[in-house]
Amino acid sequence: MSKVPIENVWARDLAWRLFRDAADEDYLVARWSMKANLPYQFAWSAQQCLEKYLKCSLVLNGKDTRSYGHELNQMWSIMADIAGDLLPCVLCPPWYFPKSFDSYGGRFEVTSDFISRVERSGDPNQRYRYYHIVNEVGDIHKFDQVVFSIRRVTYPLDMVYCDTSKSYREMLSSNRLLQPHPKFSFDRSGWKRGEEERMRILKWQNFSFFEDDAIDVGQIQKGLSSINSPISMNLNKTEERSQALNWFMQHAKFSKKDRVALLEAIGAKS
C-alpha cells in the first residue's frame, strides 16, 4: 500500500472524516462516561476512540489497516516505530500534580501497558459485561495524554506543514504542545446545539487539551471504580447458580477461548 499522495487533499480529508472525526466523538463520550462513573461505557468508548485515531495515523502514513481489527497494542507499536519520540514511552504526571502522585495511580505507567489495559477492558465482549472491570486512579488523565499524543500524528508525517519548509514531523518535534488540528469535529459550524455541554465535558479535569482551565478549577480525578461481572459473581457458588450460568453459556455467544474457560470454571462439559 502506497502512502497517501501529498497532493491528494481528498484522500487525506476522507481519512480524517471517517477515522479522526469519529474518534473525536468517541473521546467526548468516553470522558462523559468517566465523569458519570460508568466504567463499562468508558472502557468501550476509550477503546473505540484510540482504535480510530491509530487507524487514521497508520493509513495516512502508508500502512494497510485492514488486518488490525481491535488490536490496539499492535497498532500502537507500529505507529510508535513510525512516529518515534513524538509518542510517549511512559505516561508521567505533570509537575502540578500532588507530589505523592496519589491522584495519578501512585505511579508512572509504560504507555503500551496502558494501551493494553484499554484494549482488554474495551474488548467487544465487554458490551455484555462478561468480565469484571476496573478504572484505576488517574486513568482519565492518562487517557487524555494518549489521545493528545496520537491525535497530533493523524497526518502524513513527511508532508510539508502548511506554508513552512518543514515537515509535520519536524514541526511536532519542535513544538510538543502543537495540535495541528485544534478543533474537534463537533466544534464546527452546524453543531451549535449542545456546544456548552460538550465543552464542559471536554474541559473537565482535562490537563492535556485544556491545561489552564483544569488548573483553575483545581480538581483532580480521584478514586477507583470497579464492577464485578454477573458471570464472575456466579462462578463457584451454589449448584443452582452454576446451572443458571451453564444454561446461559448454551444460549449466548462467547469466543471459543472464553467458552472453554468458563465451562471449565463451572465444571461443565462443552
Side-chain angles (χ1 to χ4, degrees):
M1 180 179 180
S2 61
K3 291 186 178 181
V4 177
I6 60 174
E7 70 276 4
N8 194 330
V9 176
W10 299 108
R12 300 197 304 270
D13 186 69
L14 191 59
W16 287 330
R17 289 183 180 277
L18 292 178
F19 286 127
R20 191 180 62 191
D21 286 4
D24 283 350
E25 294 172 25
D26 286 325
Y27 178 49
L28 178 69
V29 173
R31 298 200 95 256
W32 179 87
S33 298
M34 177 65 86
K35 191 174 189 300
N37 195 26
L38 297 171
Y40 280 107
Q41 285 71 20
F42 169 75
W44 171 251
S45 296
Q47 189 280 333
Q48 288 290 298
C49 168
L50 297 187
E51 178 181 328
K52 291 164 188 169
Y53 280 134
L54 283 168
K55 286 183 175 178
C56 185
S57 300
L58 288 167
V59 76
L60 286 175
N61 284 280
K63 295 298 181 180
D64 189 334
T65 63
R66 289 174 293 180
S67 61
Y68 293 147
H70 306 294
E71 294 82 8
L72 293 186
N73 222 331
Q74 181 185 7
M75 289 187 282
W76 169 264
S77 177
I78 295 170
M79 195 58 216
D81 287 340
I82 296 172
D85 65 357
L86 294 178
L87 294 178
C89 295
V90 178
L91 299 175
C92 310
W95 64 267
Y96 42 74
F97 269 61
K99 295 300 182 183
S100 65
F101 298 146
D102 288 341
S103 17
Y104 206 78
R107 59 186 173 86
F108 295 69
E109 185 170 13
V110 175
T111 310
S112 60
D113 290 344
F114 176 76
I115 296 287
S116 292
R117 287 203 291 116
V118 174
E119 181 179 329
R120 289 194 303 272
S121 61
D123 182 280
N125 281 330
Q126 284 291 49
R127 290 174 293 175
Y128 306 108
R129 307 190 179 199
Y130 287 170
Y131 318 108
H132 75 279
I133 196 167
V134 176
N135 284 337
E136 294 186 7
V137 176
D139 274 357
I140 187 62
H141 308 302
K142 294 176 183 179
F143 177 56
D144 288 336
Q145 282 189 61
V146 171
V147 167
F148 187 87
S149 66
I150 298 176
R151 198 174 184 277
R152 295 175 78 231
V153 297
T154 55
Y155 291 85
L157 293 177
D158 296 325
M159 184 175 72
V160 174
Y161 177 75
C162 297
D163 296 326
T164 72
S165 60
K166 295 184 177 180
S167 67
Y168 271 86
R169 184 188 300 276
E170 292 171 318
M171 290 300 296
L172 292 171
S173 181
S174 63
N175 184 353
R176 295 291 170 167
L177 298 180
L178 175 64
Q179 191 68 234
H181 185 180
K183 282 188 175 292
F184 291 94
S185 60
F186 42 77
D187 228 2
R188 300 170 183 157
S189 59
W191 289 75
K192 293 300 181 181
R193 189 168 66 178
E195 180 179 16
E196 184 177 341
E197 176 65 11
R198 289 196 300 272
M199 291 308 298
R200 186 178 66 82
I201 294 169
L202 277 175
K203 290 184 177 182
W204 173 73
Q205 300 186 22
N206 194 332
F207 292 91
S208 295
F209 284 93
F210 303 98
E211 181 180 88
D212 291 340
D213 294 278
I215 293 175
D216 287 342
V217 172
Q219 295 178 342
I220 296 179
Q221 172 72 0
K222 298 182 179 180
L224 180 146
S225 300
S226 63
I227 300 178
N228 287 323
S229 163
I231 288 179
S232 64
M233 294 176 67
N234 280 276
L235 286 175
N236 302 318
K237 301 293 183 179
T238 65
E239 182 178 352
E240 189 175 27
R241 286 195 178 191
S242 294
Q243 290 175 349
L245 185 52
N246 188 29
W247 164 82
F248 187 76
M249 290 290 299
Q250 305 306 321
H251 293 82
K253 184 176 181 180
F254 290 80
S255 69
K256 184 176 180 180
K257 179 181 178 181
D258 290 340
R259 181 177 293 278
V260 170
L262 286 169
L263 287 174
E264 288 179 352
I266 62 177
K269 295 182 179 180
S270 57

